[in-house]
Amino acid sequence: MPNGSLSLPARLCLLAWDPAGSTAADTARVQHLVRAGALTELAQQGLLTDDEGIATPADLDSRTGDAVLDGLLELVRESLPHRWRTWVRLHARVTFDAVREQLVAEGYLRAEKRRVLGVFPSVEYVLAREAVARALREEARRVLEGPQPAGEVSERDAALAVLAAAAGLGVPGDAVSGVRGRERVTALTRRCASAAPGMRKIVGEVWDAVGDEGARAPAPARG
C-alpha cells in the first residue's frame, strides 16, 4: 500500500477524499470511518482488547507514538466503559479533526483560509497530494477485486479495504456486490481479524457500526 507509514485512520481519511474534485471529506460518515480505523489499529496492536463486547485498554501505560492513536487510547482509558459500536460514534469528530490536522502537518492536505459571504472566516481543506488519494483508492479496489489470496494481504490493507467497503466510501459499489464480492469481503474480514485473540468480534462490531452509518451505500457481507 502506498505511503504505508501512515496510520490506518489517516489512510482511511485520505481514501474517503474525492481526488477528482478534492471534495472536503467532513461528514459524519467519514468521521465514523476514521474513528473505526483508529479503533481497529489499536486493537490490532493489542492495546485495546474485547471484554464481553466492551472496548478495554490492555494496560494504563502503553503508547503507540502516534498522537491520534494515543489520544483515542487516553480517551478510552478516562471514559466510562463503552461497547465498540458506541466508540465508533462517540466524540468521533475529535479523532477526525486530529487526523486531518496531522495530514495537513505532513503535507497530504492543505488548509486554505476563506471568508463565507465575504465576511465570516472559515478554513477549507483540500488535497495537496491527489495522487496519494487516487493510489489508495486503486489499491483498495485491487485488494477487494484482485487475484491475491486474502491470506496474503497484509492485515492493515485488509482492514482498510473492508472498512471502506462497509462505509461505502472510496471504493466502487461493484467491488463488493454479488456473491463473489461478498465472499471476498468475508475472506478479507477474516484476514484483518487474525492479528490478535478476539479481533474477529471486534472487527465485526466496528464494521457493523460503520455499515449502519453507510446504509445509503451497498451493505457489505458479515465475516
Side-chain angles (χ1 to χ4, degrees):
M1 185 69 80
N3 294 281
S5 61
L6 289 172
S7 69
L8 180 57
R11 294 161 84 198
L12 284 166
C13 186
L14 285 175
L15 183 100
W17 229 277
D18 181 4
S22 296
T23 303
D26 188 357
T27 66
R29 189 150 51 125
V30 175
Q31 293 167 20
H32 296 168
L33 175 62
V34 170
R35 168 60 68 78
L39 291 167
T40 300
E41 181 149 350
L42 288 171
Q44 286 183 329
Q45 292 188 30
L47 298 178
L48 283 181
T49 61
D50 181 76
D51 184 4
E52 298 184 354
I54 301 298
T56 306
D59 58 59
L60 298 177
D61 301 314
S62 297
R63 298 288 186 275
T64 67
D66 180 283
V68 173
L69 295 175
D70 289 339
L72 175 56
L73 191 57
E74 194 63 28
L75 179 62
V76 175
R77 286 174 177 147
E78 294 177 351
S79 303
L80 294 172
H82 292 294
R83 301 185 69 84
W84 297 95
R85 285 172 179 252
T86 300
W87 275 119
V88 169
R89 298 176 176 85
L90 188 64
H91 308 306
R93 186 176 187 91
V94 172
T95 298
F96 172 77
D97 286 347
V99 167
R100 188 171 60 183
E101 292 306 317
Q102 192 178 62
L103 290 171
V104 170
E106 295 178 4
Y108 292 93
L109 298 177
R110 184 171 61 253
E112 298 182 348
K113 294 182 179 180
R114 304 285 175 87
R115 286 192 177 274
V116 179
L117 302 176
V119 177
F120 305 103
S122 68
V123 177
E124 181 176 330
Y125 295 87
V126 298
L127 280 171
R129 300 184 188 178
E130 294 180 14
V132 174
R134 288 195 179 91
L136 283 167
R137 287 185 170 214
E138 291 170 3
E139 184 65 11
R141 178 166 188 157
R142 187 193 64 77
V143 168
L144 287 167
E145 296 182 330
Q148 184 179 21
E152 296 179 6
V153 176
S154 75
E155 292 157 355
R156 290 184 72 207
D157 286 357
L160 181 136
V162 298
L163 288 173
L169 288 166
V171 294
D174 58 5
V176 294
S177 62
V179 174
R180 184 181 181 279
R182 291 193 295 271
E183 289 178 346
R184 177 66 171 178
V185 169
T186 297
L188 289 169
T189 300
R190 293 194 185 102
R191 175 56 180 157
C192 67
S194 66
M199 271 301 300
R200 181 156 185 164
K201 180 177 181 180
I202 292 168
V203 169
E205 287 281 317
V206 172
W207 189 356
D208 283 346
V210 174
D212 289 345
E213 181 63 37
R216 289 168 292 177
R222 303 301 193 265

